[in-house]
Amino acid sequence: MTENSSPSPLAGSKFTVTVLLVDDQAIVGADVRIKLSGEPDIIYHHCSDPTKAVQMAADLSPTVILQDLVMPEIDGLTLLKFYRAHPRLKDVPVVMLSTKEDPATKAESFAAGAHDYIVKMPDKVELIARIRYQSGGYIRLLERNEAYAELEKRNKEQAAELEQAAAYVVSLLPAPIEGEVAPGAAIKLSANWKYVPSTQLGGDTFGYRALDEHMAMYLLDVCSHGVGPALLSVQALNLLNTGNLPGVDCRRPDQVLTKLNEIFQMDKHDCLFFTIWYGVLNRRTKKLAYASGGHPPALLYGREKVEEISTPGLAIGCMPETKYKVGEVEVPVPGKMFVFSDGVYEVHRPDGSMWSAGELAEYLAAPENAGPDVIEKLYAMLREMHGEKSGLEDDFSMFRVEFNIAN
């Protein structure tokens, strides 16, 4: 840095101060070159032909343009408008150079988009200070834009990864069942479901699987949403889907919940816990054994009544050595059962009131909602009632099992 020059505010930046002077007078170009010659961190270019100024500026990407106001063929204000219309030059600081100290001309320049106005020719120290000041602001804008671009890139990558993870979670859910009959069974089963997370990764999951003449069915709801809860729900679902619970008879709901509570204590899983409903249907005797941990009851519909199917019990992970009770019921044939998370009925209306579990039970009992498409109709109704285009506040998870007489 030469004596009396201003310090550079851009130490450590990858960008270099680059000056483009657009002036048809060679003497002005030489004067600016001499004044900047002692500044090794400033790159200087001179364009004496105004018809080539815009293209030269686009090629050089200057951090400041010193623009003469009066020139042949194209005047400085017209060039200024061209710069502001060019996608690569629209934000580059432009300092107008003029021989006149005229307020009206200055006002016109600033109105057209100029950043500064200098009467030719300024003192060396002043010229360098203005160049550094205008370049510094523009370079900080470039750095900010780069940071935003990098953030957007990372956000897109993260969104793609979350989308892939969400697809994996859905891939673990069971296929629908249509009229399945196990050997020796007295019941023909059909099952379908709907799962819509409130965020890209939710905390709900569910499944059902055959255990010889039995059918295990389960739905769990982790206390939050996002990557951590989704990972926890996938861990639990994999254990339930594979039956990899040492020392546990998966036909015993109380044993299953006790083992899950032992494995998923919240102090070892980032303070996360989950509720669960777990049932096992004996397809020969039509007996359904079930247990729940802090979860909404399943709804069992026969010809004339609806039963709430649940047992008392703490959510999984809340307290060690929790004891879980088993309930038992004979399923009606024909009949149907719905298992769901609380996001299916804890839905706010636009007026702030909340739909209730009782209203859900009435909706599912209505004759017009007796078909297998009832879950789709329910979700569409809740979306419309909630009034939010983005979806519901909580995960929507529900499966429906239909019981009919085996042929």
Side-chain angles (χ1 to χ4, degrees):
M1 190 187 336
T2 60
E3 185 179 358
N4 296 325
S5 66
S6 56
S8 172
L10 302 168
S13 175
K14 63 180 255 185
F15 294 99
T16 302
V17 176
T18 303
V19 178
L20 173 61
L21 170 68
V22 181
D23 195 306
D24 61 304
Q25 297 181 39
I27 190 171
V28 176
D31 181 65
V32 174
R33 182 183 301 278
I34 291 171
K35 288 177 177 176
L36 299 182
S37 62
E39 306 298 322
D41 63 320
I42 297 178
I43 299 174
Y44 170 71
H45 299 275
H46 177 211
C47 176
S48 59
D49 183 352
T51 64
K52 298 179 180 178
V54 174
Q55 186 59 53
M56 188 172 178
D59 293 340
L60 293 174
S61 298
T63 59
V64 63
I65 297 174
L66 305 180
Q67 176 62 60
D68 186 25
L69 189 60
V70 180
M71 296 181 299
E73 299 187 57
I74 304 177
D75 65 87
L77 285 176
T78 300
L79 277 177
L80 176 57
K81 294 174 183 177
F82 288 164
Y83 299 147
R84 291 297 164 255
H86 196 289
R88 294 183 59 185
L89 304 174
K90 61 186 180 66
D91 296 317
V92 176
V94 177
V95 178
M96 302 303 292
L97 303 178
S98 176
T99 58
K100 298 179 180 180
E101 183 75 60
D102 177 29
T105 303
K106 288 183 179 181
E108 189 177 6
S109 297
F110 288 125
H115 286 67
D116 205 348
Y117 187 101
I118 300 177
V119 176
K120 294 195 287 189
M121 278 302 299
D123 177 81
K124 172 182 176 180
V125 173
E126 178 187 357
L127 177 63
I128 293 173
R130 289 176 185 262
I131 287 172
R132 290 198 191 282
Y133 176 76
Q134 296 296 344
S135 292
Y138 180 62
I139 286 174
R140 282 187 286 273
L141 173 65
L142 294 177
E143 291 172 335
R144 186 164 62 249
N145 289 345
E146 275 201 351
Y148 285 151
E150 180 63 24
L151 179 61
E152 183 178 4
K153 176 185 175 184
R154 291 181 182 179
N155 286 341
K156 288 181 178 178
E157 290 173 350
Q158 184 181 52
E161 291 172 357
L162 289 175
E163 185 176 346
Q164 186 177 13
Y168 172 68
V169 171
V170 173
S171 74
L172 298 177
L173 301 179
I177 298 173
E178 184 60 44
E180 179 179 295
V181 180
I187 299 177
K188 178 170 62 175
L189 290 180
S190 296
N192 64 333
W193 52 264
K194 188 170 185 65
Y195 168 67
V196 184
S198 60
T199 58
Q200 200 161 9
L201 282 176
D204 289 8
T205 194
F206 53 86
Y208 38 79
R209 69 187 187 101
L211 302 170
D212 51 64
E213 64 184 13
H214 298 81
M215 174 69 77
M217 300 168 278
Y218 34 86
L219 189 150
L220 62 92
D221 178 2
V222 181
C223 64
S224 185
H225 308 96
V227 175
L231 289 174
L232 180 63
S233 69
V234 166
Q235 282 183 280
L237 182 64
N238 279 330
L239 292 178
L240 293 169
N241 284 345
T242 61
N244 188 21
L245 296 167
V248 171
D249 182 349
C250 291
R251 295 168 297 185
R252 292 281 305 274
D254 56 334
Q255 290 187 16
V256 172
L257 267 60
T258 298
K259 191 65 175 181
L260 291 174
N261 188 58
E262 176 188 323
I263 295 171
F264 292 103
Q265 279 298 298
M266 59 188 298
D267 60 348
K268 298 178 181 177
H269 291 273
D270 198 26
C271 294
L272 295 173
F273 60 89
F274 60 87
T275 66
I276 187 171
W277 186 94
Y278 186 95
V280 178
L281 174 66
N282 186 318
R283 292 183 279 186
R284 180 176 55 81
T285 66
K286 300 183 287 186
K287 298 290 186 180
L288 173 69
Y290 56 89
S292 49
H295 200 82
L299 297 177
L300 181 63
Y301 291 83
R303 291 184 183 275
E304 299 178 355
K305 65 176 182 177
V306 56
E307 292 185 65
E308 293 189 348
I309 307 300
S310 69
T311 59
L314 292 175
I316 302 299
C318 289
M319 185 177 294
E321 300 180 5
T322 298
K323 303 297 182 182
Y324 294 94
K325 296 182 179 180
V326 176
E328 187 175 84
V329 66
E330 182 173 323
V331 300
V333 181
K336 57 189 176 184
M337 181 175 68
F338 295 89
V339 184
F340 47 86
S341 64
D342 56 11
V344 171
Y345 61 86
E346 290 183 348
V347 179
H348 283 93
R349 300 179 177 91
D351 65 4
S353 63
M354 182 180 287
W355 211 50
S356 67
E359 289 173 296
L360 170 64
E362 291 177 5
Y363 180 91
L364 296 175
E368 63 270 23
N369 296 324
D373 62 344
V374 59
I375 301 180
E376 292 290 346
K377 291 170 61 177
L378 170 63
Y379 181 71
M381 184 275 293
L382 291 176
R383 282 286 301 273
E384 182 177 357
M385 181 186 71
H386 185 51
E388 291 287 343
K389 294 181 179 180
S390 58
L392 302 180
E393 300 160 87
D394 199 357
D395 299 342
F396 181 100
S397 300
M398 172 182 274
F399 66 82
R400 171 185 180 273
V401 183
E402 187 175 346
F403 314 110
N404 285 297
I405 300 173
N407 296 328

